Amino acid sequence: MFQTVKKSFARETGMANKKSVKLRNEEGREWTVDLCMRNYRGSYGRIDLGVGWPAFCKENEIVDGDSCLFKFIKSAGGVIDVAVQKGGRGQVQ
């Protein structure tokens, strides 16, 4: 499982110049996630969330069909808050 970050979000938050970020769930728990710059044909400069993202997904029970809202919190040292919206398909009860 991987997550691609929009180039505009990466530029606005400074993620494009970092090797990792901290993600914080709605309970306030944090995970360090590596950033992977990808240069594929047709997607120059794509940034993927790498090592640490699968653990974040597992701990937060994120499955296919769920949506994640990323909010950059500059005052918290650049932490990114992640709100998960369950999509219903494959939802853990």
Side-chain angles (χ1 to χ4, degrees):
M1 179 182 289
F2 70 93
Q3 176 65 46
T4 299
V5 177
K6 285 187 172 185
K7 286 187 243 182
S8 59
F9 184 79
R11 276 191 234 111
E12 289 172 19
T13 62
M15 286 174 67
N17 302 318
K18 295 184 177 185
K19 296 195 183 277
S20 65
V21 293
K22 288 221 183 253
L23 301 182
R24 182 169 56 196
N25 69 5
E26 295 171 285
E27 288 78 40
R29 200 162 155 224
E30 295 182 358
W31 286 258
T32 299
V33 176
D34 289 349
L35 299 175
C36 304
M37 178 65 94
R38 307 285 187 202
N39 290 316
Y40 296 117
R41 188 182 332 155
S43 62
Y44 178 76
R46 185 177 99 181
I47 296 176
D48 293 337
L49 299 180
V51 173
W53 176 247
F56 180 86
C57 291
K58 183 177 180 181
E59 291 291 320
N60 291 282
E61 300 178 340
I62 298 170
V63 297
D64 286 343
D66 292 347
S67 297
C68 295
L69 175 65
F70 297 85
K71 184 176 181 182
F72 180 69
I73 310 296
K74 188 174 185 176
S75 63
V79 170
I80 298 174
D81 280 346
V82 183
V84 179
Q85 175 71 40
K86 295 310 235 173
R89 193 182 93 174
Q91 186 171 348
V92 177
Q93 297 290 330

